[in-house]
Amino acid sequence: MSRYSAKSIINEGYSVIVLNDARSDATAEIIPEVGNNLFRFESGGHPVILPPVSLHMLRNEPFANFKYGTPILFPPNRVKNGRFSFHGRTYNLPLNEPPSNHLHGEICSRAWEVLEYGATLESGAFVISRFRYELNPDIIAYFPHHLSFTLTYRLYEGRLYMNGTIVNEGEDEAPFAFGLHPYFSVPFDSGEKIVLKVPTTEEWPVTNEAFVTGRPTITHLSRTLKEGVQISDYPQLGCSLLTMDSEDEDRICRIEMMDHGYAIAYQIDRQFPFVVLFRPNWGSAFSLEPYTCVTDAFNLPYEHELTGVKGIKAGEKMSFTTCLWIESTK
């Protein structure tokens, strides 16, 4: 029997790709039909990603496609009034968080095309999927750029890699704002000590909707996250926006369940200079959200080098890799 396997199954009427690493007791499940969402990942007997109770929730419950698994965000977080400008062009995004915000983009709810899936001993179990704006004319109507997103989930030696490539196949430079929103399964209800470690340097002042209200500064949180901060009492619906340490080569974040003797480790690519901390109130989970720019960056009055505002030129390609695994802390 091979160590790795990849298969397509029908779950609640949806096509789901299941990746398995038998030796590491690790399984990942992806639903391409709803945002190519990695909605379940377990490793070594530990749940890593918070799944929805039912896959139908992702379609039928309001905002559910943002609330479980690993939503893929373009743009991440909120755009005030759904409006911003870039290189003299004004963009009006749909107000999908009434009455006045655009929230998290639309590729986390649309169907992705599965290009290939399989498993080999050398490469592990994998699935490759793609989303192209040009095949979605309603998006092109308000965001007229032919962007193509290709994503590979690969389960290898107990670690789940996400390799992404975003290409501008159009003729004009497009505003670029991208992020990920993994919901890590964290046993807050157990009453145990839970420690978060993230390599950060500064914290941005934000509202409870994560809108920026000033420049970043060194705070107690940004200073102590490297060594570890207890988040057992982090408030529900609380959020923090931080700049990651550009000099940290590993860029590994950890959520340590001290009584259970394990940690969720999450390695973030250098393409993401910022991270949002968020605790939902609809499940026992905690999010570490890597972003290429801060919330509503294109509307902020600060220098682009500070906020992460940038474009992706015609023919340009942006690539990134994240990695997720379980570590023993006993």
Side-chain angles (χ1 to χ4, degrees):
M1 180 179 178
S2 176
R3 171 175 180 172
Y4 300 108
S5 65
K7 60 183 178 180
S8 177
I9 66 171
I10 300 299
N11 186 347
E12 298 182 45
Y14 296 97
S15 294
V16 170
I17 303 296
V18 181
L19 310 180
N20 185 257
D21 174 0
R23 188 178 301 174
S24 298
D25 188 22
T27 300
E29 297 188 34
I30 299 99
I31 180 167
E33 290 178 61
V34 187
N36 202 32
N37 191 321
L38 168 72
F39 69 89
R40 175 175 170 254
F41 177 43
E42 296 182 359
S43 183
H46 300 295
V48 181
I49 294 292
L50 178 72
V53 175
S54 163
L55 293 183
H56 289 304
M57 293 172 63
L58 297 176
R59 285 287 194 203
N60 302 321
E61 181 182 301
F63 304 112
N65 50 307
F66 306 148
K67 297 168 69 173
Y68 303 95
T70 310
I72 301 167
L73 315 178
F74 192 93
N77 222 297
R78 293 173 172 87
V79 177
K80 191 173 293 185
N81 299 316
R83 173 177 287 197
F84 70 93
S85 296
F86 180 72
H87 287 353
R89 172 183 272 161
T90 297
Y91 297 81
N92 290 283
L93 311 184
L95 302 181
N96 59 355
E97 188 188 45
S100 58
N101 295 328
H102 178 79
L103 179 63
H104 289 330
E106 295 200 70
I107 65 175
C108 58
S109 60
R110 302 295 181 102
W112 289 50
E113 175 191 8
V114 176
L115 301 180
E116 182 184 1
Y117 65 90
T120 67
L121 189 59
E122 295 76 23
S123 300
F126 66 91
V127 57
I128 306 171
S129 304
R130 182 174 62 189
F131 183 87
R132 301 179 72 196
Y133 271 24
E134 85 173 295
L135 301 180
N136 294 267
D138 57 330
I139 296 181
I140 289 289
Y142 64 80
F143 192 87
H145 301 285
H146 289 189
L147 301 187
S148 178
F149 301 75
T150 303
L151 196 65
T152 301
Y153 292 104
R154 183 167 70 98
L155 183 56
Y156 181 69
E157 294 188 348
R159 297 191 175 201
L160 186 64
Y161 297 85
M162 178 189 286
N163 304 107
T165 300
I166 304 165
V167 179
N168 185 349
E169 298 176 337
E171 298 179 354
D172 300 320
E173 183 175 0
F176 188 83
F178 182 70
L180 303 169
H181 199 327
Y183 286 91
F184 298 119
S185 182
V186 176
F188 281 108
D189 297 337
S190 67
E192 73 174 293
K193 182 179 179 182
I194 302 169
V195 173
L196 173 66
K197 297 179 179 178
V198 183
T200 62
T201 55
E202 294 183 310
E203 182 177 7
W204 294 75
V206 294
T207 69
N208 61 356
E209 293 184 316
F211 284 119
V212 171
T213 60
R215 289 177 174 270
T217 60
I218 297 174
T219 64
H220 177 73
L221 178 62
S222 69
R223 189 171 55 248
T224 56
L225 267 171
K226 286 184 181 181
E227 300 303 320
V229 173
Q230 188 170 170
I231 58 166
S232 308
D233 56 355
Y234 195 92
Q236 290 187 337
L237 298 182
C239 69
S240 308
L241 171 59
L242 299 116
T243 299
M244 297 199 68
D245 186 351
S246 61
E247 297 182 358
D248 188 284
E249 294 184 2
D250 294 330
R251 295 173 67 86
I252 298 175
C253 309
R254 290 179 172 87
I255 305 175
E256 300 180 355
M257 273 54 75
M258 305 304 288
D259 295 346
H260 282 70
Y262 75 95
I264 296 172
Y266 186 41
Q267 189 168 33
I268 297 175
D269 196 283
R270 298 185 69 84
Q271 294 280 11
F272 302 102
F274 310 98
V275 63
V276 168
L277 316 182
F278 173 67
R279 181 182 174 185
N281 67 350
W282 54 84
S284 191
F286 197 83
S287 283
L288 304 177
E289 307 171 40
Y291 288 179
T292 62
C293 61
V294 301
T295 305
D296 202 22
F298 289 83
N299 284 321
L300 293 177
Y302 310 126
E303 55 270 29
H304 294 173
E305 293 79 10
L306 182 67
T307 61
V309 165
K310 61 181 178 181
I312 180 168
K313 295 181 173 62
E316 186 178 357
K317 177 173 68 175
M318 177 270 197
S319 297
F320 69 91
T321 299
T322 66
C323 186
L324 182 58
W325 69 96
I326 289 290
E327 292 180 345
S328 174
T329 59
K330 293 182 179 178

